[in-house]
Amino acid sequence: MSMTIIILSIIIGTIMTMSSSNWLMAWLGLELNMLAILPIISKPKTSRASEATTKYFLTQAIASAMMLLSSTINAWQTGNWGILELKNKFSTTIMALSLMMKMGAAPVHFWLPEVLQGTTLQTALLITTWQKIAPITLMYMISNNTQPTILVFAGILSMIIGGLGGINQTQLRKMMAYSSINNLGWTITIMAFSPNMALMNIFTYIIMTTPIFLMMTSMSAKTLQNLSTTWTTSMTMTLSIALLMLSTSGLPPFTGFMPKMLILNELISQNLTILATLAIMTSLISLLFYLRVAYLIMMLTPPTTTPSSTKWRTQNQKSQPTTMMTPTALFTTHLIPAIPY
């Protein structure tokens, strides 16, 4: 019963923020959302989970305070609390920074890898997907008033940090956290020039990330070493994770290539060729750690003696629900024909 109330609070908080036209209601929705997810993060009852909960709470509280400061200054100068009326340059800058902190984009990204590492895989999925919807919606609403220089700088920085941070990781949750930072970089960069494309990019990312986390949960894979022996549990799922990783990296002909191609096309059409080149170069950095995972799973011959412990199937192993996993995995690899143009 308590879990139902918590999940309902998370959903209501996000919907309240998305549907509000007033900064105070948007802030209230974000606070409800944050307070509801804290018990879920701290559920494992370990010191790592308590640490992750504390870090998440402090970061989100600071971001909320910045959000209130920004909207109050704007209301003081314009006499309006409307979200679309954020005209003051100082207010828009502080608001953009607070929303970046809420979603975990660079340069205020430090909490995301640590929080994901301290939680379960299901909670990590919730933080990297659902929890980003409300801040992205608010950023979409203020995108016309935000200075493009700030968004582009934060976007490029997120791409670089997301790429470099993921290279040396062996923990899958931290790797997915840096993957999230990298993808947010693409979203924030294009938010300044084509907000609709930014929304398409983030929702494509959510569709791609969901089956990866669900499959890792199903196979109890938390490190690269675990992932290298998952062929003993399910060969189909192992190959699917490899394909999903390649799709998330943006390689054609997978779905992940679609938003990146459209974003680069938009940047070049607006004579921002240098920015497009920088984006391509940073995506090559992130491609390195995705390929590393795919190589580890697909290219190393599995049925051989391995020094690492393997997880074998058992007769009483409970069946994992595939309601969400199967359709999202299919969308992740086959949506290229749905490109708008």
Side-chain angles (χ1 to χ4, degrees):
M1 182 65 186
S2 59
M3 187 55 75
T4 311
I5 294 169
I6 287 169
I7 290 168
L8 268 176
S9 301
I10 291 172
I11 294 168
I12 290 166
T14 303
I15 292 171
M16 191 188 295
T17 303
M18 290 172 70
S19 57
S20 61
S21 58
N22 185 294
W23 278 120
L24 286 177
M25 285 303 291
W27 173 80
L28 200 64
L30 286 170
E31 288 300 294
L32 176 63
N33 187 292
M34 176 192 71
L35 292 172
I37 202 175
L38 292 178
I40 296 180
I41 300 173
S42 60
K43 195 181 177 185
K45 300 291 182 291
T46 60
S47 57
R48 290 298 297 270
S50 305
E51 184 187 335
T53 311
T54 309
K55 284 177 179 174
Y56 186 82
F57 172 73
L58 289 174
T59 314
Q60 299 295 316
I62 292 166
S64 295
M66 287 170 66
M67 204 174 148
L68 271 183
L69 170 70
S70 168
S71 52
T72 307
I73 290 172
N74 187 67
W76 184 27
Q77 293 202 342
T78 63
N80 200 321
W81 284 95
I83 292 177
L84 299 175
E85 301 301 320
L86 199 68
K87 305 293 184 188
N88 186 346
K89 280 189 177 182
F90 178 73
S91 294
T92 52
T93 306
I94 297 292
M95 185 61 73
L97 270 174
S98 72
L99 292 175
M100 285 174 206
M101 192 182 284
K102 282 272 182 195
M103 65 181 89
V108 278
H109 66 283
F110 303 101
W111 63 272
L112 187 61
E114 297 300 320
V115 169
L116 287 203
Q117 186 57 30
T119 59
T120 60
L121 285 163
Q122 293 98 321
T123 313
L125 168 63
L126 190 64
I127 292 170
T128 51
T129 55
W130 183 264
Q131 292 300 95
K132 290 194 180 355
I133 294 174
I136 283 283
T137 308
L138 289 176
M139 189 168 270
Y140 175 84
M141 292 170 81
I142 65 164
S143 59
N144 287 336
N145 300 325
T146 313
Q147 297 173 65
T149 316
I150 295 166
L151 294 180
V152 167
F153 174 75
I156 293 293
L157 196 62
S158 296
M159 289 183 205
I160 294 168
I161 288 171
L164 293 177
I167 286 175
N168 206 28
Q169 293 299 332
T170 55
Q171 297 288 334
L172 291 176
R173 281 168 295 183
K174 276 194 174 181
M175 192 181 289
M176 292 308 293
Y178 283 110
S179 164
S180 170
I181 293 166
N182 178 269
N183 194 271
L184 278 173
W186 284 85
T187 306
I188 293 169
T189 302
I190 197 61
M191 186 71 79
F193 309 106
S194 177
N196 291 336
M197 207 167 283
L199 282 190
M200 185 198 69
N201 183 61
I202 197 70
F203 283 116
T204 307
Y205 172 74
I206 289 171
I207 290 171
M208 290 189 295
T209 307
T210 304
I212 294 177
F213 272 110
L214 290 175
M215 286 180 191
M216 288 196 300
T217 306
S218 177
M219 297 186 292
S220 301
K222 293 179 182 177
T223 63
L224 281 177
Q225 186 184 19
N226 291 154
L227 212 55
S228 66
T229 57
T230 49
W231 54 269
T232 58
T233 312
S234 171
M235 179 63 84
T236 310
M237 218 174 275
T238 306
L239 293 174
S240 297
I241 280 198
L243 292 175
L244 290 169
M245 286 289 182
L246 292 177
S247 180
T248 314
S249 70
L251 275 183
F254 301 111
T255 304
F257 175 65
M258 175 178 68
K260 283 188 169 61
M261 187 189 72
L262 293 175
I263 288 170
L264 291 173
N265 184 52
E266 181 67 26
L267 290 174
I268 290 166
S269 68
Q270 298 208 19
N271 293 323
L272 296 163
T273 316
I274 295 172
L275 184 58
T277 310
L278 268 174
I280 292 169
M281 289 168 71
T282 52
S283 73
L284 288 175
I285 302 171
S286 61
L287 178 64
L288 187 62
F289 71 82
Y290 290 118
L291 280 176
R292 179 174 165 226
V293 178
Y295 173 78
L296 193 69
I297 298 171
M298 296 176 79
M299 305 301 285
L300 301 180
T301 51
T304 53
T305 308
T306 171
S308 46
S309 57
T310 55
K311 295 188 287 294
W312 295 99
R313 285 195 196 89
T314 53
Q315 291 299 318
N316 59 355
Q317 187 180 18
K318 60 180 182 180
S319 60
Q320 298 289 338
T322 57
T323 317
M324 282 282 288
M325 200 189 300
T326 311
T328 47
L330 282 171
F331 286 148
T332 303
T333 49
H334 292 94
L335 271 188
I336 276 285
I339 294 180
Y341 56 90

